[in-house]
DNA sequence: TATGAATGAGGTTTCATTCAT
DNA sequence: TATGAATGAAACCTCATTCAT
């Protein structure tokens, strides 16, 4: 049905601002309902702009969700700071706890990303490719950081360690999503940090 | 050209078989595309029965997907056998490797379940509730098994350990889903088993 | 969806009783929702018999609703007794009040009938024809009775009077349906009886 | 063959006109077939706009039918003019005859309204509420007019008279709907006017 | 820089009905 | 005397998208 008059009539509409409003709405909805669950109509209703305006700013739905991922990742990188020199157990634990807090602070990015990552679609959305790609970037950064932590490990071992670190983080995020308040995410991440440290030490010892 | 599977019009009514065919189709599609991505039309096309017949066997889409989860979980439990007495490092590693293999053998159940678990919908699908519930069952079973492994741990510690075990498994599954052949799931699960063992030992030592 | 096990398992099912159960359910639903609003599925759910059983007892939906009208009319005739000799004002008022009570006692028949009567469908349901026909019977009976009341009126005048009597009754029924408890149907019918009496007297005077 | 009405694809967006076309089609169909009998598909076919366009202009079917009632009532009020001062028998007869003519001129409004009024649905359509409401307005107006006619009546008596007037009108409308050309609606309404006059006089005399 | 209106495809579900048993 | 299962058509409605302004 014809949308009722928008509450705040935008005189002299500002393109950037409209784009941001659309992205805000799409981020929220997509973070909760995934790709298919995010309809242009729902985004339009949430941001107050007509659906056709969304198509002025974004080529199509795929483009919109990809932009959501892109912006969310940039935001995420601001929240989750990985130190250049990840040396020593204490630094590792700091990063672990920081990751837990970043997850709790802005879970939408990872929730949407994981939903996208799990789907197997005939034609893969650009958004999924984008998530996998930015995730890869994060993985590379983590790998570089871990080199400092675990001098004495082979490149393969470092990568395996990084993969395990990421997997654990994903899994703990899901645990928190399912368990809600009953899950102490910080404690779980401390456990994870400890596990990573132990694994690294054992690897070094075995080399 | 190879002859199309003869579209044997089911004259002889065989409800159980039809139900199974519908569930087969729905399991495959939902495992790949998630809840929203699974359309009744697609299920109908895949199983050969008209959409209206699906509604003879299932009340609605929600009911169908919930049935998919239910049956997939039963199947999963047959593939993934948890020993009653999980004692010693070797047994733990066996379970870890077994889990890896079970994941590779039938990934649809967990893929669909995780997609459901991640979604935040205005009205929660029964299927999600069902997944969370069967997952809880699995968690309880694991907790019971771990008691044998780690005599000397408090109940809270065992539960934390179990939660970490499950989270790691989820995360590694996702890593495999994203990374495909480049991920050696068995090796990763061995690492996870080792990590769990280390954590348990450390906890016991600290008590 | 496949209907859940019927509560009372009918061993040695009795055809007449099944038919009656179906008619009971259909009468209730059709009396509330009209022809289109009455679905075989809803009747099936209400009477506990599968839809296919309804087709064993009735040729099609049209046949079912026609049977509802037929049975309801028979029931109505039992409740609403028109005396053979409608002579004098008192008798007229008795009939008026009796009609009011009959309406309140079993409103389903007239409600469904009027809904059917008002509809203009490309192919007219048998049920509508049946209602119009039984209504015609009632009209004829009333006309015969009124002859006694109003000796001195021409045939045309009697028929006009009967038509006005029926119209008033219909209208008052509708007023009660819309107004509910706020309408005193008996009082309104007493007014109607008085009006008919006045009209008849005036007609006689004018002849 | 006469050329089909050129299917002038409305390139130039003219919302008001489209809305009117939809309402025209819906009014005609709903006036003949009632709420359930009015399918969006049929309205779409009749007005030439795709079904999805109907949903641009109206939230849902309920909204559409309610709009039909609203517009039909406005139209009805233009055709049926009730004088402010309804004094004297002649004025009353004029109104009666005017009502008969208005019914014959545009029967759709009342036919649909009565069908809606008779239905008892689990969730009441907005259209029914709207009909009952506009009918109430008409009733109030009539009550006010009758005050002039019957000075000397109590408020309750005037309301009862108005209710009887409305009921008679409804009933006569139905008689015409069923009887068709065999019913002389104007003559019947003259009878009704006379009856109302007699009742009023009798009431005044009795007070 | 935007948007009102439109549109065809497809979504879920219900419909009346049939048929083999 | 029934009924489980099936079925095509059609119901209501939402979808992503386009286009003229």
């Amino acid at each position: 049905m014809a949308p009722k008059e928008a509450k705040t009539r935008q005189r002299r509409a500002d393109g950037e601002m409209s784009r941001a409003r659309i992205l805000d709405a799409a981020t929220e909805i997509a973070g909760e309902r995934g790709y298919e669950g995010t309809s242009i109509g729902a985004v339009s209703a949430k941001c107050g702009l007509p659906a056709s305006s969304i198509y002025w700013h974004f080529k199509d739905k795929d483009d919109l969700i990809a932009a959501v991922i892109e912006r969310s990742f940039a935001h995420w990188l601001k929240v989750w700071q990985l130190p250049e020199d990840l040396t020593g157990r204490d630094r590792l634990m700091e990063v672990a706890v920081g990751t837990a807090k970043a997850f709790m602070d802005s879970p939408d990015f990872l929730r949407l990303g994981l939903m996208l990552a799990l789907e197997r679609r005939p034609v893969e959305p650009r958004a999924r490719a984008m998530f996998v790609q930015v995730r890869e970037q994060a993985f590379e950064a983590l790998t570089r950081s871990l080199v400092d932590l675990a001098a004495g490990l082979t490149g393969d071992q470092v990568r395996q360690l990084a993969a395990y670190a990421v997997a654990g983080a994903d899994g703990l995020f899901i645990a928190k999503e399912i368990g809600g308040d009953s899950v102490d995410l910080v404690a779980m991440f401390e456990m994870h940090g400890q596990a990573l440290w132990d694994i690294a030490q054992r690897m070094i010892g075995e080399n």
Side-chain angles (χ1 to χ4, degrees), chain A:
Chain A
M1 199 185 65
K4 290 288 159 202
E5 170 140 26
K7 38 224 128 164
T8 42
R9 212 67 176 84
Q10 281 284 132
R11 303 251 156 255
R12 277 280 123 229
D14 173 1
E16 269 318 304
M17 191 176 134
S18 289
R19 204 186 126 97
R21 274 167 64 197
I22 294 166
L23 278 174
D24 288 344
T27 301
E28 191 176 331
I29 295 176
E32 289 172 353
R33 320 254 273 261
Y35 188 95
E36 300 260 14
T38 302
S39 77
I40 300 292
V43 174
S44 158
K46 172 149 281 186
C47 73
L49 294 167
S52 48
S53 292
I54 296 175
Y55 282 87
W56 195 91
H57 290 280
F58 302 93
K59 189 171 121 351
D60 54 19
K61 179 174 161 176
D62 215 24
D63 194 38
L64 170 61
I65 307 287
V68 165
I69 287 283
E70 204 164 17
R71 200 188 62 159
S72 293
F73 182 62
H75 178 69
W76 166 261
L77 281 187
K78 260 177 227 144
V79 175
W80 181 71
Q81 292 289 359
L82 190 66
E84 272 306 303
D85 54 331
L86 211 173
T87 50
R89 206 195 83 112
D90 290 354
R91 270 286 166 70
L92 181 63
M93 298 312 278
E94 269 172 38
V95 169
V97 169
T99 305
K101 286 184 175 153
F103 279 171
M104 290 165 75
D105 197 53
S106 57
D108 278 353
F109 167 60
L110 193 56
R111 201 181 315 119
L112 170 57
L114 290 181
M115 282 189 271
L116 286 168
L118 285 167
E119 280 172 20
R120 296 265 167 279
R121 230 173 263 273
V123 8
E124 160 162 324
R126 282 212 310 124
R128 185 186 193 270
M130 178 147 281
F131 174 73
V132 170
Q133 180 198 318
V134 299
R135 187 184 167 89
E136 186 70 19
Q137 283 177 32
F139 177 80
E140 298 294 347
L142 183 62
T143 307
R144 280 195 302 277
S145 291
L146 285 179
V147 167
D148 299 326
L149 176 76
L153 295 186
T154 68
D156 262 9
Q157 282 176 320
V158 173
R159 264 193 298 282
Q160 214 191 354
L161 199 61
Y164 185 72
V166 169
D170 289 338
L172 291 177
F173 173 74
I174 289 170
K176 176 74 181 169
E177 287 291 309
I178 294 178
D181 289 341
S182 74
V183 174
D184 180 347
L185 197 58
V186 171
M188 294 302 286
F189 261 91
E190 279 173 343
M191 201 168 178
H192 189 36
Q194 185 63 61
L196 289 169
W197 181 256
D198 287 350
I199 291 171
Q201 297 314 310
R202 178 185 293 269
M203 278 175 166
I204 294 169
E206 282 173 357
N207 277 4

